[in-house]
Amino acid sequence: MNKKIAVVMMGVMVLLICGCTKKEGDTTAEKTEKQDVHQISEKEPKLVKTEAKTDNYETLKQLEEKSPIILLVQKKKEIEPVLGGNKSAKVPVGTVSSVKVIRIIKNESKEKIEQDASINVLEREVYDRDDNTVYRVNDYSMMQEGGEYFLYLKKSETNNEFIIRGGFVGKVEADTKNAKPGRLKSSKLSDDVQKIHKAAYEKNKKYLKK
């Protein structure tokens, strides 16, 4: 009888020890997981600026004349980052983003564009998750998700997306009060570009919902 009691007590002690060890292990794993998420979200990406050939516009009139398509859009999401080169020498091309067409202000192209439809636009900023780096081509800053923009566009000759004329020049902020913040602050625009953007906004703000 005493032997049976001793065996039962030993079994209970083993279960208690295993339970405590498992609980402590789970807690440690949970802490590690939370720490990792915190570290990833808190670490600001590194910014790398690159230069590439682009069109230059000095006035809104020039920008309009060279843009067969002018749209009011809302940025929906980023679809695909495009990086060329190799691991030791990466060449940022851009990011294909999906935007919703809110208003067709001008379409003198052969492309069929419908209101409320989604189209793809190439943005000249790339986020590389592998090394937590943001690449900006000619200081272009990504549109914010949920934000509305006037875009001055042309159709790509090689891919199924639209190209923003003059990079940051052809991307005019319309309404970003409810937009999701970007990974980094937007690059500061020159006085000349700000002047073009102000003129474009004043001319097209009638298309914004009140």
Side-chain angles (χ1 to χ4, degrees):
M1 186 72 177
N2 290 338
K3 285 183 179 180
K4 287 183 179 179
I5 293 171
V7 169
V8 171
M9 289 181 67
M10 285 179 68
V12 171
M13 289 175 68
V14 169
L15 287 172
L16 285 170
I17 292 168
C18 290
C20 291
T21 305
K22 184 176 184 300
K23 188 174 181 182
E24 185 179 346
D26 290 346
T27 306
T28 304
E30 190 177 320
K31 280 182 180 179
T32 304
E33 187 178 347
K34 283 182 179 178
Q35 274 184 341
D36 290 344
V37 172
H38 178 75
Q39 287 168 357
I40 291 168
S41 62
E42 290 295 320
K43 190 176 180 182
E44 187 175 272
K46 180 174 66 175
L47 176 61
V48 175
K49 296 182 180 183
T50 64
E51 293 184 2
K53 185 179 178 180
T54 188
D55 298 322
N56 185 40
Y57 305 104
E58 296 181 354
T59 65
L60 176 60
K61 184 179 179 182
Q62 289 180 355
L63 179 61
E64 290 175 333
E65 289 174 349
K66 294 295 183 178
S67 304
I69 303 164
I70 303 174
L71 305 174
L72 170 61
V73 307
Q74 182 183 53
K75 167 81 172 280
K76 303 306 290 182
K77 61 181 179 179
E78 296 166 22
I79 299 176
E80 180 186 7
V82 184
L83 270 170
N86 51 53
K87 288 185 178 180
S88 59
K90 295 179 180 179
V91 180
V93 177
T95 299
V96 179
S97 296
S98 174
V99 300
K100 177 185 176 182
V101 179
I102 298 174
R103 188 68 179 256
I104 302 168
I105 299 171
K106 173 185 174 182
N107 184 11
E108 295 178 354
S109 72
K110 296 178 181 178
E111 303 300 319
K112 185 178 179 182
I113 302 173
E114 297 181 353
Q115 192 165 312
D116 296 325
S118 292
I119 63 170
N120 291 343
V121 174
L122 181 68
E123 300 198 73
R124 302 308 300 272
E125 177 182 300
V126 183
Y127 175 58
D128 184 1
R129 294 180 183 277
D130 293 340
D131 56 9
N132 193 33
T133 300
V134 169
Y135 294 89
R136 284 183 177 166
V137 182
N138 297 334
D139 259 351
Y140 178 92
S141 301
M142 193 86 76
M143 289 185 285
Q144 297 171 245
E145 289 185 19
E148 295 181 8
Y149 299 84
F150 298 113
L151 296 185
Y152 293 75
L153 306 165
K154 69 172 183 177
K155 182 68 169 59
S156 170
E157 296 177 1
T158 56
N159 299 305
N160 188 33
E161 65 233 9
F162 293 84
I163 309 297
I164 301 173
R165 299 298 269 169
F168 54 74
V169 183
K171 182 203 74 175
V172 180
E173 186 177 305
D175 185 358
T176 59
K177 62 179 179 291
N178 296 318
K180 179 181 175 182
R183 295 184 183 90
L184 293 171
K185 289 183 179 180
S186 296
S187 299
K188 184 175 175 57
L189 301 174
S190 68
D191 291 342
D192 290 339
V193 174
Q194 288 186 47
K195 186 177 179 180
I196 293 173
H197 282 193
K198 184 177 179 181
Y201 178 82
E202 289 299 323
K203 185 173 183 176
N204 297 309
K205 65 182 180 182
K206 59 188 176 186
Y207 298 114
L208 295 171
K209 290 181 181 179
K210 295 180 180 180

Coordinates of all heavy atoms in Angstrom, one line a residue, residues 54-121:
T54 N 15.5 61.5 -66.1 CA 14.1 61.8 -66.0 C 13.7 63.1 -66.8 O 14.6 63.9 -67.0 CB 13.6 61.9 -64.6 OG1 12.2 62.0 -64.5 CG2 14.2 63.2 -63.9
D55 N 12.5 63.3 -67.1 CA 12.0 64.5 -67.8 C 12.0 65.7 -66.8 O 11.7 65.5 -65.6 CB 10.7 64.3 -68.4 CG 10.7 63.2 -69.5 OD1 11.7 63.1 -70.2 OD2 9.7 62.5 -69.6
N56 N 12.3 66.8 -67.3 CA 12.2 68.0 -66.4 C 11.2 69.0 -66.9 O 11.1 69.3 -68.1 CB 13.6 68.7 -66.4 CG 13.7 69.9 -65.5 OD1 13.1 69.8 -64.4 ND2 14.3 70.9 -65.9
Y57 N 10.3 69.5 -66.0 CA 9.3 70.4 -66.4 C 9.4 71.7 -65.5 O 9.5 71.6 -64.3 CB 7.9 69.8 -66.2 CG 7.8 68.5 -67.0 CD1 7.8 67.3 -66.3 CD2 7.6 68.5 -68.4 CE1 7.7 66.1 -67.1 CE2 7.5 67.4 -69.1 CZ 7.6 66.1 -68.4 OH 7.5 65.0 -69.2
E58 N 9.3 72.8 -66.1 CA 9.5 74.1 -65.3 C 8.1 74.7 -65.0 O 8.1 75.6 -64.2 CB 10.4 75.0 -66.1 CG 11.8 74.5 -66.3 CD 12.7 75.5 -67.1 OE1 12.1 76.5 -67.6 OE2 13.9 75.2 -67.2
T59 N 7.1 74.3 -65.8 CA 5.8 74.9 -65.5 C 4.7 73.9 -65.6 O 4.9 72.8 -66.1 CB 5.4 76.0 -66.6 OG1 5.3 75.4 -67.9 CG2 6.5 77.1 -66.7
L60 N 3.5 74.2 -65.1 CA 2.4 73.3 -65.1 C 2.0 73.1 -66.6 O 1.6 71.9 -67.0 CB 1.2 73.8 -64.3 CG -0.1 73.0 -64.4 CD1 0.1 71.6 -63.8 CD2 -1.2 73.7 -63.6
K61 N 2.0 74.1 -67.4 CA 1.6 74.0 -68.8 C 2.5 72.9 -69.5 O 2.0 72.1 -70.3 CB 1.8 75.3 -69.5 CG 1.3 75.3 -70.9 CD 1.4 76.7 -71.6 CE 1.0 76.7 -73.0 NZ 1.1 78.0 -73.7
Q62 N 3.8 72.9 -69.3 CA 4.7 71.9 -69.8 C 4.3 70.5 -69.4 O 4.3 69.6 -70.2 CB 6.2 72.2 -69.5 CG 6.7 73.5 -70.1 CD 8.2 73.7 -69.7 OE1 8.7 73.0 -68.8 NE2 8.8 74.7 -70.3
L63 N 4.1 70.4 -68.1 CA 3.7 69.1 -67.6 C 2.4 68.6 -68.2 O 2.3 67.4 -68.6 CB 3.5 69.2 -66.0 CG 3.1 67.9 -65.3 CD1 4.2 66.8 -65.5 CD2 2.9 68.2 -63.8
E64 N 1.4 69.5 -68.3 CA 0.1 69.1 -68.9 C 0.3 68.7 -70.4 O -0.3 67.7 -70.9 CB -0.9 70.2 -68.8 CG -1.4 70.5 -67.4 CD -2.2 71.7 -67.3 OE1 -2.1 72.6 -68.2 OE2 -3.1 71.8 -66.4
E65 N 1.1 69.4 -71.1 CA 1.3 69.1 -72.6 C 2.0 67.8 -72.8 O 1.7 67.1 -73.8 CB 2.1 70.3 -73.2 CG 1.3 71.6 -73.3 CD 2.2 72.7 -73.9 OE1 3.5 72.5 -73.9 OE2 1.7 73.8 -74.2
K66 N 2.8 67.4 -71.9 CA 3.5 66.1 -72.0 C 2.8 65.0 -71.4 O 3.4 63.8 -71.4 CB 5.0 66.3 -71.5 CG 5.8 67.3 -72.2 CD 6.1 66.8 -73.7 CE 7.0 67.7 -74.4 NZ 7.3 67.2 -75.8
S67 N 1.7 65.2 -70.8 CA 1.0 64.2 -70.1 C -0.4 63.8 -70.8 O -1.3 64.6 -70.7 CB 0.6 64.6 -68.6 OG 1.8 64.9 -68.0
P68 N -0.4 62.7 -71.6 CA -1.7 62.4 -72.3 C -2.8 62.0 -71.3 O -4.0 62.0 -71.7 CB -1.2 61.2 -73.2 CG 0.0 60.7 -72.5 CD 0.7 61.8 -71.9
I69 N -2.4 61.7 -70.1 CA -3.4 61.2 -69.1 C -3.2 62.0 -67.8 O -2.1 62.1 -67.3 CB -3.2 59.7 -68.8 CG1 -3.3 58.9 -70.1 CG2 -4.2 59.2 -67.8 CD1 -2.8 57.5 -69.9
I70 N -4.3 62.5 -67.3 CA -4.3 63.2 -66.0 C -5.5 62.6 -65.2 O -6.6 62.6 -65.6 CB -4.5 64.7 -66.1 CG1 -3.4 65.3 -67.0 CG2 -4.5 65.3 -64.7 CD1 -3.6 66.8 -67.2
L71 N -5.2 62.0 -64.0 CA -6.2 61.4 -63.2 C -6.2 61.8 -61.8 O -5.1 62.2 -61.2 CB -6.0 59.8 -63.2 CG -5.9 59.1 -64.5 CD1 -5.5 57.7 -64.3 CD2 -7.2 59.2 -65.3
L72 N -7.3 61.7 -61.1 CA -7.4 61.8 -59.7 C -7.6 60.4 -59.2 O -8.5 59.7 -59.6 CB -8.6 62.7 -59.2 CG -8.9 62.7 -57.7 CD1 -7.8 63.2 -56.9 CD2 -10.2 63.4 -57.4
V73 N -6.6 60.0 -58.3 CA -6.6 58.6 -57.9 C -6.5 58.5 -56.4 O -6.1 59.4 -55.7 CB -5.5 57.8 -58.6 CG1 -5.5 57.9 -60.1 CG2 -4.1 58.2 -58.0
Q74 N -6.8 57.3 -55.9 CA -6.6 56.9 -54.5 C -5.6 55.7 -54.5 O -5.9 54.7 -55.1 CB -7.9 56.6 -53.8 CG -7.6 56.3 -52.3 CD -8.9 55.9 -51.6 OE1 -9.6 55.0 -52.0 NE2 -9.2 56.6 -50.4
K75 N -4.5 55.9 -53.7 CA -3.6 54.8 -53.6 C -4.2 53.6 -52.8 O -4.7 53.9 -51.7 CB -2.3 55.3 -52.9 CG -1.3 54.2 -52.5 CD -0.5 53.7 -53.6 CE 0.6 52.8 -53.0 NZ 1.8 53.5 -52.5
K76 N -4.2 52.4 -53.3 CA -4.8 51.3 -52.7 C -3.7 50.4 -52.0 O -3.8 50.2 -50.8 CB -5.5 50.4 -53.6 CG -6.7 51.1 -54.4 CD -7.6 51.8 -53.4 CE -8.5 50.9 -52.7 NZ -9.5 51.6 -51.8
K77 N -2.7 50.0 -52.7 CA -1.7 49.1 -52.1 C -0.4 49.0 -53.0 O -0.5 49.4 -54.2 CB -2.2 47.7 -51.9 CG -2.6 47.0 -53.1 CD -3.2 45.6 -52.8 CE -3.7 44.9 -54.1 NZ -4.2 43.6 -53.8
E78 N 0.6 48.5 -52.4 CA 1.9 48.2 -53.2 C 1.8 46.8 -53.6 O 1.5 45.9 -52.8 CB 3.1 48.5 -52.3 CG 3.3 49.9 -51.9 CD 4.3 50.1 -50.8 OE1 5.1 49.2 -50.6 OE2 4.2 51.1 -50.1
I79 N 2.1 46.5 -54.9 CA 2.0 45.2 -55.5 C 3.3 44.5 -55.5 O 3.5 43.4 -55.1 CB 1.3 45.2 -56.9 CG1 -0.1 45.8 -56.8 CG2 1.3 43.8 -57.5 CD1 -0.8 45.9 -58.1
E80 N 4.3 45.2 -56.2 CA 5.5 44.5 -56.4 C 6.7 45.5 -56.5 O 6.7 46.4 -57.3 CB 5.5 43.7 -57.8 CG 6.7 43.0 -58.1 CD 6.6 42.4 -59.5 OE1 5.7 42.7 -60.2 OE2 7.6 41.7 -59.9
P81 N 7.7 45.3 -55.6 CA 8.9 46.1 -55.7 C 9.8 45.5 -56.7 O 9.9 44.3 -56.9 CB 9.6 45.9 -54.3 CG 9.1 44.6 -53.8 CD 7.7 44.4 -54.4
V82 N 10.5 46.4 -57.5 CA 11.3 45.9 -58.6 C 12.8 46.4 -58.3 O 13.1 47.6 -58.4 CB 10.9 46.4 -60.0 CG1 11.7 45.9 -61.1 CG2 9.4 46.1 -60.2
L83 N 13.6 45.4 -58.0 CA 15.1 45.7 -57.8 C 15.9 44.9 -58.8 O 15.7 43.7 -58.9 CB 15.5 45.3 -56.4 CG 15.3 46.3 -55.3 CD1 15.5 45.6 -53.9 CD2 16.3 47.4 -55.4
G84 N 16.8 45.6 -59.5 CA 17.7 44.9 -60.4 C 19.1 44.8 -59.8 O 19.2 44.9 -58.6
G85 N 20.0 44.4 -60.6 CA 21.4 44.2 -60.1 C 21.5 42.9 -59.3 O 20.9 42.0 -59.6
N86 N 22.4 43.0 -58.3 CA 22.6 41.8 -57.4 C 22.7 42.2 -55.9 O 22.5 43.4 -55.6 CB 23.9 41.0 -57.8 CG 25.1 42.0 -57.9 OD1 25.4 42.7 -57.0 ND2 25.7 42.0 -59.1
K87 N 22.9 41.3 -55.0 CA 23.0 41.6 -53.6 C 24.0 42.6 -53.2 O 23.8 43.4 -52.3 CB 23.2 40.3 -52.8 CG 22.0 39.3 -52.8 CD 22.3 38.1 -51.9 CE 21.0 37.2 -51.9 NZ 21.3 36.1 -51.0
S88 N 25.1 42.6 -53.9 CA 26.2 43.5 -53.6 C 26.0 44.9 -54.2 O 26.6 45.9 -53.8 CB 27.6 43.0 -53.9 OG 27.6 42.7 -55.3
A89 N 25.2 44.9 -55.3 CA 25.0 46.2 -56.0 C 23.6 46.2 -56.6 O 23.3 45.9 -57.7 CB 26.0 46.3 -57.2
K90 N 22.7 46.6 -55.7 CA 21.2 46.6 -56.0 C 20.9 47.9 -56.8 O 21.4 49.0 -56.5 CB 20.4 46.5 -54.8 CG 20.5 45.2 -54.0 CD 19.7 45.1 -52.8 CE 19.9 43.8 -52.1 NZ 19.1 43.7 -50.9
V91 N 20.0 47.7 -57.8 CA 19.6 48.8 -58.7 C 18.1 49.0 -58.6 O 17.3 48.2 -59.1 CB 20.0 48.6 -60.2 CG1 19.5 49.8 -61.0 CG2 21.5 48.4 -60.3
P92 N 17.6 50.0 -57.8 CA 16.2 50.2 -57.7 C 15.5 50.7 -58.9 O 16.0 51.6 -59.6 CB 16.1 51.3 -56.6 CG 17.4 52.0 -56.7 CD 18.4 51.0 -57.1
V93 N 14.5 50.0 -59.4 CA 13.7 50.4 -60.5 C 12.5 51.1 -60.1 O 12.2 52.2 -60.6 CB 13.3 49.1 -61.4 CG1 12.5 49.5 -62.6 CG2 14.6 48.4 -61.9
G94 N 11.7 50.5 -59.2 CA 10.5 51.2 -58.7 C 9.6 50.2 -58.0 O 10.0 49.0 -57.9
T95 N 8.4 50.6 -57.7 CA 7.4 49.7 -57.1 C 6.1 49.9 -57.9 O 5.6 51.0 -58.1 CB 7.1 50.1 -55.6 OG1 8.3 49.9 -54.9 CG2 6.1 49.2 -55.0
V96 N 5.6 48.7 -58.3 CA 4.3 48.8 -58.9 C 3.2 48.9 -57.9 O 3.1 48.0 -57.0 CB 4.0 47.5 -59.8 CG1 2.7 47.5 -60.5 CG2 5.2 47.3 -60.8
S97 N 2.4 50.0 -58.0 CA 1.3 50.2 -57.0 C 0.0 50.2 -57.7 O -0.2 50.6 -58.8 CB 1.5 51.6 -56.3 OG 2.7 51.6 -55.5
S98 N -1.0 49.8 -56.9 CA -2.4 49.8 -57.4 C -3.1 51.0 -57.0 O -3.1 51.3 -55.8 CB -3.2 48.5 -57.0 OG -4.5 48.6 -57.3
V99 N -3.8 51.7 -57.9 CA -4.5 52.9 -57.5 C -5.9 52.8 -58.1 O -6.2 52.2 -59.2 CB -3.9 54.2 -58.0 CG1 -2.5 54.4 -57.4 CG2 -3.8 54.3 -59.5
K100 N -6.9 53.4 -57.4 CA -8.3 53.4 -57.9 C -8.5 54.8 -58.6 O -8.2 55.8 -58.0 CB -9.2 53.3 -56.7 CG -10.7 53.4 -57.1 CD -11.6 53.4 -55.9 CE -13.1 53.6 -56.2 NZ -13.9 53.6 -55.0
V101 N -9.1 54.7 -59.8 CA -9.4 55.9 -60.5 C -10.7 56.6 -60.0 O -11.7 56.0 -60.1 CB -9.6 55.6 -62.0 CG1 -9.9 56.9 -62.8 CG2 -8.3 55.0 -62.6
I102 N -10.5 57.8 -59.4 CA -11.6 58.5 -58.9 C -12.3 59.4 -60.0 O -13.5 59.5 -60.1 CB -11.2 59.4 -57.7 CG1 -10.7 58.5 -56.5 CG2 -12.4 60.2 -57.2 CD1 -10.1 59.2 -55.4
R103 N -11.4 60.0 -60.7 CA -11.9 61.0 -61.8 C -10.9 61.0 -62.9 O -9.7 61.0 -62.7 CB -12.0 62.4 -61.2 CG -12.7 63.4 -62.1 CD -14.1 63.1 -62.4 NE -14.8 64.0 -63.2 CZ -15.6 65.0 -62.8 NH1 -15.9 65.1 -61.5 NH2 -16.2 65.8 -63.6
I104 N -11.4 60.9 -64.2 CA -10.6 61.0 -65.4 C -10.6 62.5 -65.8 O -11.6 62.9 -66.3 CB -11.1 60.1 -66.5 CG1 -11.1 58.6 -66.0 CG2 -10.2 60.2 -67.7 CD1 -11.9 57.7 -66.9
I105 N -9.6 63.2 -65.6 CA -9.5 64.6 -65.9 C -9.1 64.8 -67.4 O -9.7 65.6 -68.1 CB -8.5 65.3 -65.0 CG1 -9.0 65.2 -63.6 CG2 -8.4 66.8 -65.4 CD1 -8.0 65.7 -62.5
K106 N -8.3 63.9 -67.9 CA -7.8 63.9 -69.3 C -7.4 62.6 -69.7 O -6.7 61.9 -68.9 CB -6.7 65.0 -69.4 CG -6.0 65.0 -70.8 CD -4.8 66.0 -70.7 CE -4.0 65.9 -72.0 NZ -2.8 66.8 -71.9
N107 N -7.8 62.1 -70.9 CA -7.2 60.9 -71.5 C -7.2 61.0 -73.0 O -8.2 60.8 -73.7 CB -8.1 59.7 -71.1 CG -7.5 58.4 -71.6 OD1 -6.3 58.4 -72.1 ND2 -8.2 57.3 -71.5
E108 N -6.0 61.4 -73.5 CA -5.8 61.6 -74.9 C -4.9 60.4 -75.4 O -4.3 60.5 -76.5 CB -5.1 62.9 -75.2 CG -6.0 64.1 -74.8 CD -5.4 65.5 -75.1 OE1 -4.1 65.5 -75.4 OE2 -6.0 66.5 -74.9
S109 N -4.9 59.3 -74.7 CA -4.1 58.2 -75.1 C -5.0 57.2 -75.7 O -6.3 57.3 -75.8 CB -3.4 57.5 -73.8 OG -4.4 56.9 -73.0
K110 N -4.5 56.0 -76.1 CA -5.3 55.0 -76.7 C -5.7 54.0 -75.7 O -6.4 53.0 -76.0 CB -4.4 54.2 -77.8 CG -4.0 55.1 -79.0 CD -3.2 54.3 -79.9 CE -2.7 55.1 -81.1 NZ -1.9 54.4 -82.1
E111 N -5.4 54.2 -74.4 CA -5.7 53.3 -73.3 C -7.1 53.6 -72.8 O -7.6 54.7 -72.7 CB -4.7 53.5 -72.1 CG -3.3 53.3 -72.5 CD -3.0 52.0 -73.0 OE1 -3.6 51.0 -72.5 OE2 -2.2 51.8 -74.0
K112 N -7.8 52.5 -72.6 CA -9.2 52.5 -72.1 C -9.1 52.6 -70.5 O -8.7 51.6 -69.9 CB -10.0 51.3 -72.5 CG -11.5 51.4 -72.1 CD -12.3 50.2 -72.6 CE -13.7 50.3 -72.1 NZ -14.5 49.1 -72.6
I113 N -9.5 53.7 -70.0 CA -9.4 53.9 -68.5 C -10.8 54.2 -68.0 O -11.5 55.1 -68.6 CB -8.5 55.0 -68.1 CG1 -7.1 54.7 -68.6 CG2 -8.4 55.2 -66.6 CD1 -6.1 55.9 -68.5
E114 N -11.3 53.4 -67.0 CA -12.7 53.6 -66.5 C -12.6 54.1 -65.1 O -11.8 53.8 -64.3 CB -13.4 52.3 -66.6 CG -13.6 51.8 -68.0 CD -14.4 50.5 -68.0 OE1 -14.6 49.9 -66.9 OE2 -14.7 50.0 -69.1
Q115 N -13.6 55.0 -64.8 CA -13.8 55.5 -63.5 C -14.1 54.4 -62.5 O -14.8 53.5 -62.8 CB -14.9 56.6 -63.4 CG -14.9 57.4 -62.1 CD -15.7 58.6 -62.3 OE1 -15.6 59.4 -63.2 NE2 -16.6 58.9 -61.3
D116 N -13.5 54.4 -61.3 CA -13.7 53.4 -60.2 C -12.9 52.1 -60.5 O -12.9 51.2 -59.7 CB -15.2 53.1 -60.0 CG -16.0 54.2 -59.5 OD1 -15.4 55.0 -58.7 OD2 -17.1 54.4 -59.8
A117 N -12.2 52.0 -61.6 CA -11.4 50.9 -61.9 C -10.0 51.0 -61.3 O -9.7 52.2 -60.9 CB -11.3 50.7 -63.4
S118 N -9.3 50.0 -61.2 CA -7.9 50.0 -60.6 C -6.9 49.9 -61.8 O -7.1 49.1 -62.7 CB -7.7 48.9 -59.6 OG -8.5 49.1 -58.5
I119 N -5.9 50.7 -61.7 CA -4.8 50.6 -62.7 C -3.5 50.5 -61.9 O -3.4 50.8 -60.7 CB -4.7 51.8 -63.6 CG1 -4.5 53.1 -62.8 CG2 -6.0 51.9 -64.4 CD1 -4.2 54.3 -63.7
N120 N -2.4 50.1 -62.6 CA -1.1 50.0 -61.9 C -0.2 51.1 -62.4 O -0.2 51.5 -63.5 CB -0.4 48.6 -62.3 CG -1.1 47.4 -61.7 OD1 -1.9 47.6 -60.8 ND2 -0.9 46.3 -62.2
V121 N 0.5 51.7 -61.4 CA 1.4 52.8 -61.6 C 2.8 52.5 -61.1 O 2.9 51.9 -60.0 CB 0.8 54.1 -60.9 CG1 1.8 55.2 -61.0 CG2 -0.5 54.5 -61.4

